[in-house]
Amino acid sequence: MQLLTGFSLGCLAVVFLVVLRDFRHLLVGKVFLWVLLAAAAFVSSRVAGQQYQWLLGDIMTTLPAAFWLLCLLAFSPRPRANPVWVVLALYSFIPPALSRPFGGADPEAAWWLHWLGFKVPQFAEYILILSGLWITAVHWRNDLVEGRRKLRFALLVSVGATLLCVTVSLNHGLDTSKLVAGMVGLATLLVGFLLLKGQDGVLLDMQSVATTPGNNEAHHASAIEQTEPAPETDPSHEMAEQLRQLMEEEHFYRTEKLTLKKLAERMSLPEYRVRAIINGTFNYRNFNDYVNQMRIEEACNRLVTEPDTPIQNIALDIGYRTLSSFNRAFKELKQQTPTEYRQSRQ
């Protein structure tokens, strides 16, 4: 057991130092550091003395909430924490920490203290873990950064499975120490390898950061410039030019329910090639951002030049299925509704 614990703690320490060195200035990096610290607390709790168990227990109870927040910040195109989810995350570790000194972990304690302090937070932990895995998986196809796509897979398969085992063993008192310690070490090795191999953009969606209100206009100006294809010396110039003509001149972006797969089939190219062109040549990290940028630019032009055309008609013409989805995408890029934009330009 000591050997597995040492192996896992060593792997966690190496990855901790890598994240501390390269991502400590980012919020997602700070959350990742806490995930690693909480995992180390779990591994250490199997060999630590009784006097340290309460502290290690409080730290590792935060693991599901930290994992959910990590997935939200690293893999959601527009990270926004719903207040309900924030409350759920806080409830998953604060009541256990507060009720532990009063014996809330003991099933023989007052039923309300045991249930409100431990049982209900356990359900919250499972919900948070599943939500984090869902966030990681749902945007898989639209992610254009290869390193982050591999990191998604690592988190889904290794870290997600390990975290579920950790949570189940903690909540139900199962003796899976050796199994979980080995899984923690292997999962950490895999994640560390992916972080070292492709650091750029792995933990941060630069596209979403660029569209914050403070630098929104500068981003749009640069995004328009980035739609110019690469120089002719670039081997991918011909494919980039084909994509540019298809999207900008033939307005293929107006296609309803447009996906990367549909675009690749239309160009008769493998998906990975189209993904590489959009990411490497046009510098987009998310497929939906790429499509929405062109759709919203056309919408802006039509809102001004066609003042009598209903907004819903414009939304449907440029590829949105509903007015609500158009309004949401428009406000994310322009920081105002289509109606407000039209009125401000009259």
Side-chain angles (χ1 to χ4, degrees):
M1 183 61 194
Q2 283 80 3
L3 182 61
L4 281 175
T5 300
F7 167 71
S8 298
L9 289 176
C11 294
L12 287 166
V14 170
V15 177
F16 186 93
L17 292 175
V18 171
V19 176
L20 183 66
R21 182 193 66 187
D22 298 327
F23 302 104
R24 65 181 182 276
H25 60 289
L26 305 174
L27 176 59
V28 65
K30 293 180 176 67
V31 175
F32 204 163
L33 289 173
W34 186 260
V35 169
L36 295 170
L37 183 64
F42 170 78
V43 175
S44 302
S45 67
R46 291 342 196 196
V47 295
Q50 189 64 34
Q51 66 271 27
Y52 301 111
Q53 291 299 321
W54 66 272
L55 176 61
L56 296 174
D58 288 344
I59 294 176
M60 60 190 179
T61 305
T62 65
L63 193 52
F67 175 75
W68 165 77
L69 185 57
L70 172 66
C71 294
L72 180 69
L73 293 174
F75 302 123
S76 176
R78 297 288 183 268
R80 287 188 180 88
N82 187 294
V84 175
W85 284 99
V86 173
V87 171
L88 188 68
L90 294 174
Y91 190 78
S92 70
F93 63 87
I94 292 179
L98 295 177
S99 61
R100 199 186 307 273
F102 301 100
D106 187 357
E108 301 300 323
W111 68 268
W112 61 269
L113 181 63
H114 182 62
W115 273 89
L116 294 180
F118 274 85
K119 283 298 183 181
V120 177
Q122 286 177 6
F123 291 113
E125 289 177 352
Y126 293 127
I127 293 173
L128 290 168
I129 294 172
L130 294 175
S131 176
L133 295 175
W134 169 255
I135 292 170
T136 306
V138 72
H139 302 292
W140 170 272
R141 282 191 171 274
N142 291 328
D143 197 337
L144 303 176
V145 181
E146 191 62 29
R148 197 165 61 230
R149 285 170 60 84
K150 292 178 180 177
L151 186 61
R152 284 177 187 263
F153 182 78
L155 285 174
L156 279 170
V157 176
S158 61
V159 179
T162 302
L163 184 55
L164 281 173
C165 287
V166 167
T167 306
V168 170
S169 65
L170 285 175
N171 291 343
H172 300 282
L174 302 178
D175 187 14
T176 57
S177 303
K178 294 183 180 180
L179 173 63
V180 175
M183 291 179 67
V184 169
L186 292 175
T188 307
L189 270 181
L190 178 58
V191 172
F193 171 75
L194 293 172
L195 285 174
L196 289 170
K197 185 179 179 183
Q199 295 179 356
D200 182 31
V202 169
L203 276 185
L204 182 66
D205 188 347
M206 296 302 294
Q207 195 79 352
S208 62
V209 171
T211 54
T212 53
N215 55 4
N216 185 58
E217 295 300 327
H219 164 67
H220 290 315
S222 63
I224 294 173
E225 293 173 1
Q226 288 162 2
T227 57
E228 293 299 323
E232 293 191 15
T233 54
D234 192 329
S236 64
H237 168 73
E238 186 175 340
M239 290 183 291
E241 178 62 21
Q242 179 189 357
L243 176 60
R244 189 195 67 79
Q245 291 180 357
L246 177 64
M247 297 295 278
E248 297 183 14
E249 298 179 12
E250 300 180 30
H251 305 298
F252 192 70
Y253 60 81
R254 295 174 180 168
T255 303
E256 189 176 299
K257 295 172 118 178
L258 180 60
T259 62
L260 187 65
K261 182 179 180 180
K262 284 184 181 180
L263 180 59
E265 289 176 349
R266 177 66 174 77
M267 296 181 65
S268 300
L269 290 174
E271 278 188 46
Y272 76 90
R273 294 222 174 212
V274 180
R275 186 183 300 115
I277 294 170
I278 298 173
N279 178 228
T281 305
F282 298 147
N283 203 27
Y284 283 89
R285 294 173 178 262
N286 184 277
F287 181 71
N288 286 336
D289 286 340
Y290 172 62
V291 174
N292 284 334
Q293 182 68 46
M294 287 178 283
R295 286 177 173 177
I296 299 306
E297 288 303 321
E298 180 182 347
C300 289
N301 180 61
R302 292 185 60 181
L303 286 169
V304 176
T305 59
E306 304 175 20
D308 297 326
T309 303
I311 292 177
Q312 184 169 7
N313 290 10
I314 295 177
L316 296 177
D317 288 346
I318 61 177
Y320 290 99
R321 299 179 63 196
T322 63
L323 181 60
S324 61
S325 61
F326 168 66
N327 286 335
R328 185 166 54 251
F330 193 98
K331 192 166 185 178
E332 284 180 349
L333 289 176
K334 297 298 181 180
Q335 310 307 314
Q336 56 184 166
T337 66
T339 301
E340 292 169 345
Y341 183 88
R342 173 177 271 175
Q343 291 173 348
S344 68
R345 298 302 190 276
Q346 287 180 349

